[in-house]
Amino acid sequence: MQRLVSIGVIGLVAMCLSLPLMSFAQPQAQDESKPRLKVGLALSGGGAKGAAHVGVLKVLEENNIPVDFVTGTSIGSFVGGLYALGYSADEIEAILLNTNWDAGFSDSVPREALGYRDKQHRDIYNIPINLGISEGEVRAPSGWLQGQTMSQLVRESVGELPVMDSFDDLAIPFRAVATNLETREAVVLSHGSLGKAMQASMTVPGILNPVEWDGMLLVDGGLANNMPVDVVKAMGADVVIAVDIGSPLLKKDDMDSAVMVLEQLANFLTVGGVERQKALLSEDDVLLIPAVKEFGTTDFSRMPESIPLGRQVAEAQLEHLKEFATDSSDYADYRLAKRQYSKQWTSDATRPVIAVNIRNMSKTSEKLIRETLGLEAGKAISANELNQALDNLYALNKYQRVDAQFINTDQGRVLDVFVIEKPWGPNYLEFGVSWEDNFNFKSSIQFDFSYTITDINRQGAYWRNEVQLGENRLLRSEFYQPIDETDLFYARAQYNFQDRDWPVYDDNFATLNFDKRLHNGELGIGTNYSRQGIIEVGGMYETGEIISRDAANTRFEYDIYGAYLSIGYDTLNSASFPTEGNQAKLHVRVVEERFRENGISGGYEPAFHSEFDWKGALKLGNSAVVGKFSAAYTNTDAEFSSYGSDLGGFLNLSGYFKDSLVGPKKLFGALIYQYDLGRTVLDMTQYPLYLGASIETGNVWQVDQTIDIDELIYAGSLFIGTDTQLGPAALGFGAAETGERAVYLFVGRVF
């Protein structure tokens, strides 16, 4: 990840996270004949290495050294801002070590939080690239990430602070330093939202989207001033304690790859500025350089190792630092006054808000925004409650950012919620890819493309066009129209053209080969009865042909028209390796079918088709138990049905090849065990790695056959797999009691 950040910034590396103490109850120096020197603290940026700042703060507190002003850049703004707010070094340590910093570098909405339709769509379009088309141009975001999750991490740390007229009003006067992306000049942030100032100071350019502030686009302050000694001196500090955790220039022998050269270019941007700041230090000031140069800016798991290094370098200069100390009694008064002063901000969390204002910079109706947020005036709103509400809104998958800030007015406490639409829209391109191989004779790659035109009207209608290429070829066009402002009810029209290979297998070898081509149209109305589910009824028409590619060259043609009912519910946290949630789908069709064989036509026959699928997961510590059940049933007087339900493949009667058993009647069940080997043994934090096994049973039957429990086939599998940003990846082996064996390799394909 460290190298990824270096490349993504092309010379703007991850220097992450910076902020000031009032002399409200000014402690006196031990020598009362002269006033105590005012101490300023300048904390530099350096990403995960910033935990060393906490070690320095611990030494200052243990030796009764007060801090009167704080400035910081990047991670220094985060640590400094918390200290200025009134947190102790121990409290900041707990926040740093308990924060999931890796999550801050992902804005992906968890699958379980998405709406039902968005879940099904993301399972196919797994490539995390944001591209849009606007005014005939292809556009992309100005950052790989939009900073949504990072802003919430900061909000959880600082709490529900209101917008401030001046950061001088904190327990310790504070300044954060950011960089104006347009001019590359340092911008000193002295008022406004403390959390937003922190985030602006630690916004890695090219990775995180710039923060808008008073008409400027702000990014990581390390580009302009990574150790703001000049800023803290300008605030009034008599002496400065400066902590430098920046990356030094690499030596010749270290630059042995293109990545290292890019990292050296990134260092050029910060080292020169830090040297200029060091030149401002006098012999009375203290420069501390913790030995953290071997740590990466994104090595967040190593934060506990950095804290002792900060302590070590401070203790090495303790004699100099003690010149700024007070006696124990004065320092106790100082700390008490600091804590009490900070309570005027932290106690705001218990005050109810008198209004929730929506600053809607999107085409979404305000009614839908308010309903999704679920925040009401007249109640106190905690940081966790606000984050959850913003999560729900962001999960609508319509926005670049959703954010909020509290404002104290003469009338009371007000919450402003900002809803910002994606500037690279309103039309979007999405891509998916998957690969499957069974190490025998069947290997397939599937490519998926989607183009969606959104916000066609005030209700939020969209028109989506999809193309799938590979073993199964599909062209789909769907128009979706919400009927009301909250999208509770909708109407939908869809056309499909599908062309797929339909082999018939015997002993895992294709003995017959068919092509199935069809045109299908649906017109329905439905309800999104919850975020997790839909109910839809409508009419459908389908015409198609099944052509034998063997010598007989048999051709079956069919026409179907009738009505359908679809019910769906989905709360799974992963489509392939879930540990929590349930997914259930029911599709019923009552139709009239007509068949033609080699040009000879028959009459229409009534038919009833139904298919039900369920998957559920239960988490048990580091393990999960997953259950699957599916059934299909067809009732018709005809001798043949165009409707076929597939069975066979990984965790779908393992041992058989994918879709090798096809019939209009089906019964299947499976019990799957997953153990999280990655997090428990291999110390993997970003993605799980599951070791699993399954027991399965099922079979298919034809129209004229009766479902017979005695004919069920039993199978099982062993596998290892993971969920990634590109979808699932798995390697498995399956065997059936009938002697079929298969090895499965999947990348990106949901199973």
Side-chain angles (χ1 to χ4, degrees), residues 107 130 140-147 203-210 400 424:
D107 279 336
N130 293 315
S142 53
W144 182 261
L145 302 172
Q146 305 311 304
T203 292
V204 182
I207 301 298
L208 295 168
N209 201 56
Q400 176 190 30
W424 59 93

Side-chain angles (χ1 to χ4, degrees), residues 417-475:
V417 177
F418 300 87
V419 183
I420 306 169
E421 68 180 5
K422 298 175 181 177
W424 59 93
N427 308 323
Y428 303 100
L429 293 167
E430 294 170 283
F431 307 92
V433 64
S434 60
W435 174 44
E436 177 182 349
D437 200 321
N438 59 27
F439 298 97
N440 192 329
F441 69 92
K442 186 176 181 181
S443 178
S444 64
I445 297 179
Q446 192 85 18
F447 297 97
D448 304 281
F449 308 90
S450 172
Y451 176 55
T452 306
I453 301 173
T454 68
D455 295 327
I456 294 175
N457 52 38
R458 292 181 61 186
Q459 282 73 36
Y462 66 77
W463 180 22
R464 175 170 291 153
N465 297 279
E466 301 174 81
V467 176
Q468 296 180 10
L469 302 175
E471 184 180 30
N472 295 320
R473 297 158 293 280
L474 174 70
L475 174 64

Side-chain angles (χ1 to χ4, degrees), residues 303-611:
M303 275 187 162
E305 301 175 51
S306 299
I307 295 174
L309 298 178
R311 171 185 287 278
Q312 180 180 351
V313 72
E315 289 177 342
Q317 297 199 47
L318 190 55
E319 290 304 314
H320 193 169
L321 291 172
K322 282 184 175 180
E323 296 175 9
F324 314 142
T326 64
D327 62 35
S328 298
S329 175
D330 285 342
Y331 191 75
D333 292 341
Y334 161 87
R335 293 191 67 172
L336 178 62
K338 176 182 170 184
R339 177 67 72 180
Q340 290 178 338
Y341 196 89
S342 68
K343 285 182 179 179
Q344 72 171 335
W345 299 116
T346 57
S347 63
D348 279 338
T350 61
R351 296 173 56 198
V353 298
I354 62 170
V356 178
N357 299 326
I358 306 298
R359 310 301 184 188
N360 189 5
M361 289 163 274
S362 75
K363 297 181 178 64
T364 309
S365 71
E366 184 172 323
K367 185 176 181 180
L368 175 58
I369 293 173
R370 288 189 178 277
E371 183 177 283
T372 305
L373 280 171
L375 298 175
E376 299 179 3
K379 299 180 179 179
I381 300 174
S382 69
N384 288 337
E385 290 172 330
L386 179 57
N387 274 347
Q388 184 59 59
L390 296 179
D391 279 345
N392 293 339
L393 186 58
Y394 189 67
L396 291 179
N397 212 23
K398 297 174 178 285
Y399 314 114
Q400 176 190 30
R401 284 281 305 276
V402 293
D403 208 348
Q405 63 183 23
F406 291 97
I407 299 176
N408 288 343
T409 69
D410 293 338
Q411 292 74 35
R413 186 171 168 85
V414 173
L415 176 64
D416 284 348
V417 177
F418 300 87
V419 183
I420 306 169
E421 68 180 5
K422 298 175 181 177
W424 59 93
N427 308 323
Y428 303 100
L429 293 167
E430 294 170 283
F431 307 92
V433 64
S434 60
W435 174 44
E436 177 182 349
D437 200 321
N438 59 27
F439 298 97
N440 192 329
F441 69 92
K442 186 176 181 181
S443 178
S444 64
I445 297 179
Q446 192 85 18
F447 297 97
D448 304 281
F449 308 90
S450 172
Y451 176 55
T452 306
I453 301 173
T454 68
D455 295 327
I456 294 175
N457 52 38
R458 292 181 61 186
Q459 282 73 36
Y462 66 77
W463 180 22
R464 175 170 291 153
N465 297 279
E466 301 174 81
V467 176
Q468 296 180 10
L469 302 175
E471 184 180 30
N472 295 320
R473 297 158 293 280
L474 174 70
L475 174 64
R476 174 180 293 147
S477 184
E478 179 190 44
F479 185 82
Y480 179 90
Q481 175 65 66
I483 296 175
D484 60 313
E485 289 186 355
T486 62
D487 198 16
L488 178 60
F489 298 100
Y490 66 87
R492 186 180 68 88
Q494 179 177 287
Y495 163 77
N496 294 289
F497 168 73
Q498 185 175 3
D499 181 5
R500 62 166 292 186
D501 298 331
W502 201 1
V504 176
Y505 290 89
D506 185 17
D507 292 331
N508 266 349
F509 288 95
T511 57
L512 294 173
N513 293 280
F514 292 90
D515 282 338
K516 183 177 181 181
R517 299 172 186 155
L518 63 87
H519 298 268
N520 172 282
E522 294 179 349
L523 186 62
I525 58 172
T527 175
N528 298 299
Y529 66 89
S530 76
R531 289 283 300 279
Q532 294 80 31
I534 60 104
I535 300 175
E536 180 177 320
V537 295
M540 56 81 59
Y541 174 78
E542 182 173 311
T543 181
E545 58 184 1
I546 302 172
I547 306 170
S548 171
R549 290 185 289 173
D550 299 306
N553 197 27
T554 304
R555 178 189 297 265
F556 297 92
E557 298 174 291
Y558 66 90
D559 299 288
I560 306 174
Y561 69 89
Y564 69 86
L565 165 69
S566 290
I567 301 175
Y569 178 80
D570 192 343
T571 60
L572 290 179
N573 59 355
S574 167
S576 296
F577 297 108
T579 57
E580 295 177 307
N582 289 275
Q583 181 187 74
K585 298 178 182 179
L586 173 66
H587 191 71
V588 177
R589 297 197 301 182
V590 180
V591 299
E592 296 282 333
E593 288 184 295
R594 181 179 65 179
F595 298 96
R596 299 182 298 278
E597 182 176 353
N598 294 331
I600 302 175
S601 178
Y604 279 101
E605 296 284 351
F608 172 84
H609 306 297
S610 65
E611 186 162 11

Side-chain angles (χ1 to χ4, degrees), residues 88 394 426 668:
S88 68
Y394 189 67
F668 174 76

Side-chain angles (χ1 to χ4, degrees), residues 46 63 114 161 238 246 249 352 382 425 560 648 652 676 683 698 735 745:
N63 290 276
L114 290 169
L161 297 178
D238 297 314
L249 293 176
S382 69
I560 306 174
N652 199 39
D676 193 344
D683 197 28
L745 175 64

